[in-house]
Amino acid sequence: MTEDEPTDEISEIEAQIEELADSAERSRRIILGSKAAIAGGVALLLIALLGLFGAGQTAALGSIALVLGGIVSLGSNVSTLRQTEAAISTAEARRARLIGNIELRLVHDAPLKLM
C-alpha cells in the first residue's frame, strides 16, 4: 500500500462528511419551517374557531391542512436528520481509524530553528 492511498481515502471521506453535514443543515432548516407551519396552523385554527377577523370554514380547513403537512414534514425530516447524523458518525470513525493506521515518520536531528 502506497502512502497516498490512505490520504486519498481520507480526503474522500472528508468530502462525504461535508456533504452529509450540508444535508443535515438542510434538514434542520426544514424542521424549523415545519414547526413554524404547525404553530401557524394552530393559531389560524384558533382564530377560525373563535370567529375572529371573519375567518370561516375555509380558514379552518386550511389551518388543519397546514398542521397536518407540518407534522408529516417534521416527522420525515427528523428521521432523515437522525440517519444523516449516524452516517456522519460512521464516516468520522472510519476517518479516525484510517488516520490512526498511518505510520508517522519521526524526524530526528531536526534543527530547532530554520533560520
Side-chain angles (χ1 to χ4, degrees), residues 3 9 26 30 35 61 83-84 88-89 98 104-105 110:
E3 193 173 312
E9 191 171 350
R26 275 191 308 275
I30 293 172
K35 289 179 180 180
L61 261 164
Q83 291 172 355
T84 303
I88 289 171
S89 296
L98 284 171
L104 299 176
R105 292 176 286 163

Side-chain angles (χ1 to χ4, degrees), residues 54-87:
Q57 294 174 346
T58 306
L61 261 164
S63 66
I64 291 170
L66 192 60
V67 169
L68 291 176
I71 290 170
V72 169
S73 177
L74 178 70
S76 172
N77 282 288
V78 165
S79 172
T80 300
L81 180 61
R82 286 182 184 152
Q83 291 172 355
T84 303
E85 288 175 343

